[in-house]
Amino acid sequence: PSSDCVLAEQLCLSDSTCNATYRTLENCALAKTRLLSLDHDSRVRCLNAELDLGNSSLLHCRCHRRMKRQEHCLRVFWTVHSSMADGYFNLETSPYENPANEEHWKTDYNKLAALVSGKNCSQLAGDATNPCLRATHVCNLSKKCFRLRTDYASICTKGAGSEDVCDRRKCHRGLRNFFEKVPEDFTKRILFCPCQDEFCGERRRKTIVPDCSFQYNTKPNCLWLLDSCLEDRICKSRLADFQQNCQPVDMSPDGCSLHNHAACLQAYMGMIGTPMTPNYVSNSSVEVSLWCTCENSGNQKEKCDQILGMFESNKCL
């Protein structure tokens, strides 16, 4: 049975045979992290070590976004599956397990939304015509939603727009905290609120404070963005999750391989707060993109276009 990878690692290390195999895999993963080229014998040794795990719980373990030791868990997962991380289109196995049923959170949202509806309309000017504003008012009634939204907003707006001096790393961490710790019924309604006018669309586009979290002074090449992501365990894991849950398939009626749009939207939200943070491209459409370009990609132009296309022309989204 699958278990969380932190527990699976503890069980493995208590067994001498599994322990030795795991240590071999750690060395293999370390060599990859340092971009050291392995000789033929070393590659065979690494592959055999992965096969030697057999039906070990390590081979089937998973992580979840809201766990306390998430980064440790992801390190274990990628240690065991390091041979699968050779390139972007090989990240097909997500380290995240399917989320548990979160229906009980909807009750909290609906109760607070009813409170917002009962307030004096003059207090909430524009609330009826601006679903993004309404979702924000509901968030403000939840202590956790209000606190974590205020946290990332204050970090991400500090220095934003003044010669790129905002602390992007802290901003990203604050965004991840918000999307991981606040119930999804709140975060989805804030990020995916339906808009009929540009004022609403602008508010939606600015949900993640794009001046700091999304935009650089100049657009980097998408391949550079990908490299930055693959060097970061959380980003690499979210990208694998996004690939698995938002995989477009032309032959499918809805253009999506898993036919699970809720999982795809959750995977999309998981990308926010990583080096490959996506966002809406304008205040008048629901098109999303990465902040990068494929100009000057040389003979890797096709690969670059595929990376950008995963967001810009993804039917699942």
Side-chain angles (χ1 to χ4, degrees):
S2 64
S3 60
D4 98 50
C5 292
V6 177
L7 178 61
E9 182 192 43
Q10 291 172 355
L11 290 171
C12 176
L13 295 181
S14 64
D15 176 271
S16 58
T17 305
C18 188
N19 191 327
T21 303
Y22 185 65
R23 296 304 180 195
T24 300
L25 287 172
E26 278 188 319
N27 291 331
C28 299
L30 188 62
K32 281 208 167 183
T33 304
R34 294 177 177 172
L35 301 177
L36 302 175
S37 55
L38 298 173
D39 58 35
H40 176 72
D41 288 347
S42 297
R43 283 199 299 272
V44 170
R45 195 181 309 118
C46 292
L47 197 57
N48 285 340
E50 198 168 308
L51 293 172
D52 284 346
L53 286 177
N55 287 322
S56 159
S57 56
L58 262 180
L59 202 59
H60 306 287
C61 73
R62 289 291 184 272
C63 308
H64 52 92
R65 293 173 193 80
R66 297 171 185 267
M67 69 189 295
K68 286 185 178 178
R69 300 177 69 188
Q70 183 184 167
E71 289 196 52
H72 182 154
C73 187
L74 295 174
R75 178 182 63 76
V76 176
F77 179 88
W78 290 115
T79 295
V80 174
H81 296 279
S82 63
S83 68
M84 297 170 59
D86 287 330
Y88 176 69
F89 293 101
N90 289 333
L91 293 177
E92 289 166 358
T93 300
S94 171
Y96 294 110
E97 60 189 356
N98 291 330
N101 191 332
E102 295 170 351
E103 285 295 316
H104 63 283
W105 282 335
K106 293 184 187 297
T107 310
D108 298 335
Y109 185 93
N110 291 337
K111 280 181 182 176
L112 296 177
L115 288 175
V116 166
S117 299
K119 287 195 174 186
N120 188 316
C121 289
S122 62
Q123 286 180 284
L124 306 174
D127 188 56
T129 57
N130 190 335
C132 294
L133 197 59
R134 178 183 171 80
T136 303
H137 288 317
V138 177
C139 172
N140 289 345
L141 292 179
S142 160
K143 286 183 182 178
K144 179 179 272 190
C145 190
F146 175 72
R147 176 173 57 82
L148 291 172
R149 182 172 167 272
T150 304
D151 283 353
Y152 85 72
S154 61
I155 296 166
C156 299
T157 50
K158 194 174 183 180
S162 54
E163 293 303 313
D164 200 28
V165 293
C166 76
D167 193 328
R168 182 171 282 110
R169 189 179 290 271
K170 280 188 177 178
C171 174
H172 281 169
R173 193 184 307 129
L175 279 165
R176 290 201 309 273
N177 267 340
F178 177 73
F179 285 106
E180 285 176 20
K181 294 179 180 177
V182 174
E184 253 182 50
D185 210 36
F186 288 85
T187 56
K188 276 186 176 176
R189 288 173 196 252
I190 286 178
L191 192 65
F192 303 126
C193 41
C195 288
Q196 302 298 321
D197 59 57
E198 291 195 7
F199 178 74
C200 176
E202 181 69 357
R203 187 175 186 91
R204 179 175 61 193
R205 190 182 69 81
K206 289 192 170 178
T207 295
I208 66 168
V209 195
D211 285 350
C212 185
S213 69
F214 178 65
Q215 295 171 203
Y216 294 77
N217 285 337
T218 55
K219 280 190 177 182
N221 187 283
C222 298
L223 295 167
W224 176 84
L225 215 60
L226 174 66
D227 288 341
S228 300
C229 182
L230 295 180
E231 288 170 6
D232 180 287
R233 276 196 200 99
I234 286 184
C235 188
K236 181 168 74 169
S237 301
R238 302 299 171 82
L239 182 59
D241 197 50
F242 180 79
Q243 273 195 281
Q244 178 174 296
N245 290 296
C246 300
Q247 189 68 258
V249 176
D250 289 335
M251 302 294 287
S252 173
D254 63 355
C256 204
S257 63
L258 292 185
H259 313 295
N260 188 341
H261 295 288
C264 179
L265 291 182
Q266 184 188 51
Y268 172 86
M269 286 196 298
M271 296 300 300
I272 295 172
T274 72
M276 283 182 76
T277 293
N279 196 27
Y280 296 99
V281 296
S282 75
N283 56 12
S284 57
S285 78
V286 289
E287 289 179 30
V288 296
S289 181
L290 298 172
W291 182 260
C292 63
T293 177
C294 283
E295 291 178 14
N296 305 317
S297 296
N299 61 3
Q300 289 191 298
K301 176 77 164 58
E302 187 180 347
K303 179 183 177 184
C304 186
D305 287 339
Q306 285 176 308
I307 294 162
L308 198 52
M310 283 291 289
F311 293 86
E312 285 190 344
S313 55
N314 190 324
K315 291 178 182 177
C316 297
L317 287 175

